[in-house]
């Protein structure tokens, strides 16, 4: 059985354009979107959150990142000590990632916080405010904490902040920052 | 006086409308507001050259990947850490073990892990431009990966990871051709000398 639902006319028109372009009916597109929304809703996720998370994934992918088994990475970095070049590379990777965020209009602190949380995985707490960045992840080794701190530093600087101090312990990173003055 | 919003009617399935009304009630929103939000998201998805269905599917696969204990790191740093190690065999063995664990994880999560494996590999092997799984018979599977711009070492560890996954799924590696940027693997339920 079919029923009627009202929506903003401008949105309906845009959906109608998409339907025409894709050679589909507006009925099928709208019902599919509503059905998928309900499915995501059942998993306690809003479509907005899902789309934002996917944007993060796309950025990470385009920035040349790859998935690795976490345990493997921890083993490798614990076997080999981080040299000057490694720190530099992690910092550089952070800078590149920051630029990708900027290009994708994701410079808002709330967005950056979410992106970092996604990238680090398993992180129990992350806070990105105007004056400090805090990352707490008890299961992270000392080496991993150090490389992550470098990545964060590069990211923070590329977003126009100056680092005033940093403290790194196993599983805890605290970086104090301030906004770079324009000009 | 507030600006009058122009509205239009949409035809929807009644079962969907019922569920939607329930969600709107729960979230303390009007059905009109909720519908507009969903349409906006659908349009955003369309701008990303995808559909909400594809987005939700992709999200589900990524979630599985993240929950399996995977993390993302820059590819150049992964490579430099791989190259730093003097013991290549150890590295390959670790990837094989990680793959085997991942395979077991898939067994624990899904009734038919082989069904979901192709989509999981295509969405999570970002360094690979193409991954194909061809189930030749019930007992034979061929997997090919193409990654022309990737360092050979990264292909080798990826191959070991795949061998580990398939081992967990009770398939032995019987053929293993790794060329520059391409790997063609075959697996069988029976162990055959390579």
């Amino acid at each position: 059985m079919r029923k009627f639902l009202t929506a903003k006319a401008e949105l309906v028109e845009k959906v109608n354009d998409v339907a025409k372009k894709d050679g589909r009916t507006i009925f099928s597109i709208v019902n599919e979107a509503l059905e998928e929304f309900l499915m995501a809703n059942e998993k306690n996720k809003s479509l907005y959150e899902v789309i934002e998370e996917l944007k993060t994934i796309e950025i990470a992918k385009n920035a040349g990142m790859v998935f690795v088994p976490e345990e493997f990475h921890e083993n490798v970095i614990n076997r080999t000590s981080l040299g000057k070049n490694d720190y530099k590379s992690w910092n550089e990777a952070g800078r590149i990632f920051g630029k990708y965020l900027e290009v994708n209009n994701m410079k808002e602190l709330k967005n950056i916080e979410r992106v970092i949380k996604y990238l680090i995985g398993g992180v129990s707490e992350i806070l990105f405010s105007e004056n400090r960045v805090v990352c707490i992840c008890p299961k992270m080794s000392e080496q991993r904490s150090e490389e992550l701190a470098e990545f964060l530093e590069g990211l923070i600087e590329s977003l126009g902040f100056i680092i005033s101090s940093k403290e790194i312990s196993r599983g805890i990173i605290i970086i104090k920052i301030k906004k770079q003055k324009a000009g | 006086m507030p600006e009058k919003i122009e509205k239009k009617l949409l035809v929807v399935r009644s079962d969907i409308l019922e569920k939607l009304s329930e969600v709107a009630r729960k979230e303390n929103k009007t059905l009109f507001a909720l519908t507009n939000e969903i349409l906006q998201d659908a349009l955003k998805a369309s701008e990303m050259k995808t559909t909400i269905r594809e987005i939700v599917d992709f999200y589900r696969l990524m979630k599985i990947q993240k929950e399996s204990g995977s993390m993302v790191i820059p590819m150049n740093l992964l490579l430099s850490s791989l190259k730093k190690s003097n013991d290549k065999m150890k590295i390959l063995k670790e990837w094989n073990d990680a793959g085997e664990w991942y395979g077991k994880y898939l067994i624990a999560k899904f009734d038919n892990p082989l069904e979901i494996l192709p989509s999981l590999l295509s969405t999570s092997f970002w360094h690979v431009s193409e991954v194909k799984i061809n189930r030749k018979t019930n007992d034979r599977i061929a997997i090919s990966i193409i990654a022309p711009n990737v360092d050979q070492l990264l292909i080798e560890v990826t191959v070991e990871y795949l061998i580990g996954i398939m081992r967990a799924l009770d398939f032995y590696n019987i053929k293993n051709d790794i060329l520059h940027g391409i790997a063609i693997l075959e697996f069988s339920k029976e162990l055959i000398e390579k």
Side-chain angles (χ1 to χ4, degrees):
Chain A
M1 225 168 75
R2 294 174 179 199
K3 284 193 173 171
F4 290 105
L5 189 63
T6 50
K8 274 187 193 167
E10 48 161 334
L11 289 173
V12 177
E13 274 154 28
K14 281 183 189 165
V15 175
N16 204 15
D17 288 343
V18 173
K20 270 187 207 151
K21 209 170 68 193
D22 294 351
R24 298 175 63 187
T25 61
I26 187 164
F27 175 77
S28 84
I29 288 196
V30 168
N31 281 275
E32 183 183 286
L34 299 179
E35 226 174 355
E36 291 302 329
F37 161 80
L38 290 168
M39 214 185 275
N41 191 269
E42 272 170 29
K43 291 172 190 161
N44 292 322
K45 275 269 173 188
S46 75
L47 276 176
Y48 175 79
E49 283 173 306
V50 169
I51 290 174
E52 288 304 303
E53 201 159 311
L54 287 184
K55 266 197 212 161
T56 307
I57 293 168
E58 274 304 304
I59 295 171
K61 197 172 163 182
N62 292 336
M65 295 199 164
V66 282
F67 271 113
V68 289
E70 198 170 349
E71 200 185 332
F72 168 80
H73 184 64
E74 283 280 1
N75 285 346
V76 168
I77 56 172
N78 290 331
R79 269 201 303 267
T80 53
S81 56
L82 284 176
K84 238 183 186 174
N85 281 342
D86 296 306
Y87 286 122
K88 211 177 143 196
S89 302
W90 274 101
N91 191 294
E92 190 63 30
R95 279 175 194 277
I96 294 170
F97 197 75
K99 290 292 165 210
Y100 270 93
L101 289 179
E102 195 179 335
V103 169
N104 285 279
N105 292 322
M106 289 178 85
K107 271 186 86 175
E108 256 181 69
L109 297 183
K110 196 180 65 177
N111 278 335
I112 298 165
E113 198 176 277
R114 188 177 41 75
V115 166
I116 296 172
K117 190 161 187 161
Y118 182 83
L119 282 185
I120 301 167
V123 65
S124 48
E125 212 175 304
I126 180 103
L127 170 88
F128 202 120
S129 69
E130 287 280 351
N131 50 25
R132 66 180 198 153
V133 177
V134 175
C135 175
I136 303 170
C137 184
K139 69 172 192 168
M140 209 155 50
S141 68
E142 202 171 334
Q143 294 264 55
R144 174 84 182 113
S145 308
E146 280 174 16
E147 63 176 26
L148 181 62
E150 278 299 327
F151 179 82
L152 288 175
E153 272 186 57
L155 176 71
I156 290 163
E157 283 172 345
S158 81
L159 295 171
F161 290 93
I162 297 170
I163 291 163
S164 39
S165 71
K166 62 172 178 173
E167 274 175 60
I168 310 159
S169 328
R170 192 189 57 78
I172 301 175
I173 302 166
I174 304 167
I175 305 175
K176 290 197 176 146
I177 57 174
K178 54 185 175 195
K179 193 84 186 147
Q180 213 162 19
K181 282 181 190 143
Chain B
M1 220 170 85
E3 204 181 313
K4 203 179 165 203
I5 300 168
E6 215 185 310
K7 296 175 182 179
K8 273 197 174 178
L9 284 175
L10 287 166
V11 185
V12 291
R13 274 185 9 224
S14 58
D15 59 321
I16 291 179
L17 182 62
E18 234 169 75
K19 285 179 191 164
L20 205 62
S21 311
E22 209 175 295
V23 174
R25 251 196 315 273
K26 261 191 220 159
E27 294 186 2
N28 216 7
K29 288 177 184 167
T30 62
L31 193 54
F32 175 69
L34 184 62
T35 308
N36 288 332
E37 270 176 32
I38 300 169
L39 293 187
Q40 239 152 9
D41 286 334
L43 288 165
K44 210 188 279 178
S46 170
E47 275 167 27
M48 292 162 77
K49 306 259 179 281
T50 181
T51 62
I52 291 183
R53 176 158 297 172
E54 279 169 350
I55 285 180
V56 173
D57 280 348
F58 186 70
Y59 172 78
R60 191 171 61 100
L61 294 169
M62 279 294 125
K63 199 164 174 276
I64 295 168
Q65 193 63 23
K66 287 285 284 180
E67 285 173 356
S68 73
S70 292
M71 58 182 281
V72 279
I73 69 165
M75 182 155 46
N76 61 334
L77 287 159
L78 168 65
L79 261 177
S80 85
S81 68
L82 290 175
K83 285 182 174 169
K84 241 194 212 177
S85 171
N86 301 321
D87 193 348
K88 187 176 168 186
M89 291 313 287
K90 189 171 183 168
I91 292 272
L92 295 178
K93 169 85 174 55
E94 281 178 342
W95 277 79
N96 190 300
D97 289 347
E100 189 165 355
W101 189 90
Y102 185 72
K104 284 180 183 159
Y105 167 79
L106 294 182
I107 292 172
K109 290 273 284 189
F110 303 99
D111 289 336
N112 187 358
L114 275 172
E115 209 171 72
I116 195 154
L117 188 63
S119 359
L120 270 173
L121 296 182
S122 344
T123 45
S124 58
F125 279 13
W126 294 352
H127 55 298
V128 165
S129 48
E130 205 179 316
V131 51
K132 273 188 185 163
I133 299 190
N134 178 12
R135 187 145 200 183
K136 293 182 160 181
T137 64
N138 263 349
D139 296 340
R140 285 230 176 180
I141 291 179
I143 302 182
S144 58
I145 54 175
I146 301 172
N149 303 317
V150 163
D151 192 282
Q152 191 67 3
L153 185 55
L154 199 48
I155 303 223
E156 285 176 44
V157 293
T158 306
V159 163
E160 280 306 318
Y161 189 68
L162 281 171
I163 292 173
I165 294 176
M166 296 306 286
R167 182 71 206 91
L169 303 179
D170 280 336
F171 279 87
Y172 296 95
N173 178 224
I174 54 164
K175 188 181 156 197
N176 195 345
D177 283 341
I178 307 177
L179 309 161
H180 181 70
I182 298 175
I184 300 162
L185 315 170
E186 264 192 56
F187 298 90
S188 165
K189 280 265 185 198
E190 281 171 50
L191 184 58
I192 302 165
E193 285 296 314
K194 277 192 251 182

